[in-house]
Amino acid sequence: MLPAASRISNLNAQQLATNGLLEIAFEHWFSIPYFYEKLTDGEPEAVLIFY
């Protein structure tokens, strides 16, 4: 079995949260404010980035 770190997609970004927990998500969720909300609201710019 491969180590967990080698199974993480290259499309994901990691960052250490202020509470010390490791956050793993798509890079855009960290770099674009409210990206998830825009994506779930169906805003065209966010949808085009995600797909």
Side-chain angles (χ1 to χ4, degrees):
M1 181 180 252
L2 294 172
S6 65
R7 294 188 305 240
I8 296 174
S9 170
N10 290 336
L11 300 176
N12 290 335
Q14 302 88 30
Q15 74 178 19
L16 195 58
T18 55
N19 62 5
L21 296 176
L22 179 64
E23 296 177 329
I24 301 173
F26 293 105
E27 187 272 328
H28 296 93
W29 293 15
F30 294 133
S31 62
I32 300 174
Y34 305 105
F35 179 75
Y36 182 75
E37 286 83 359
K38 292 175 183 178
L39 180 63
T40 57
D41 287 345
E43 291 189 22
E45 295 170 2
V47 172
L48 286 174
I49 290 172
F50 189 74
Y51 293 105

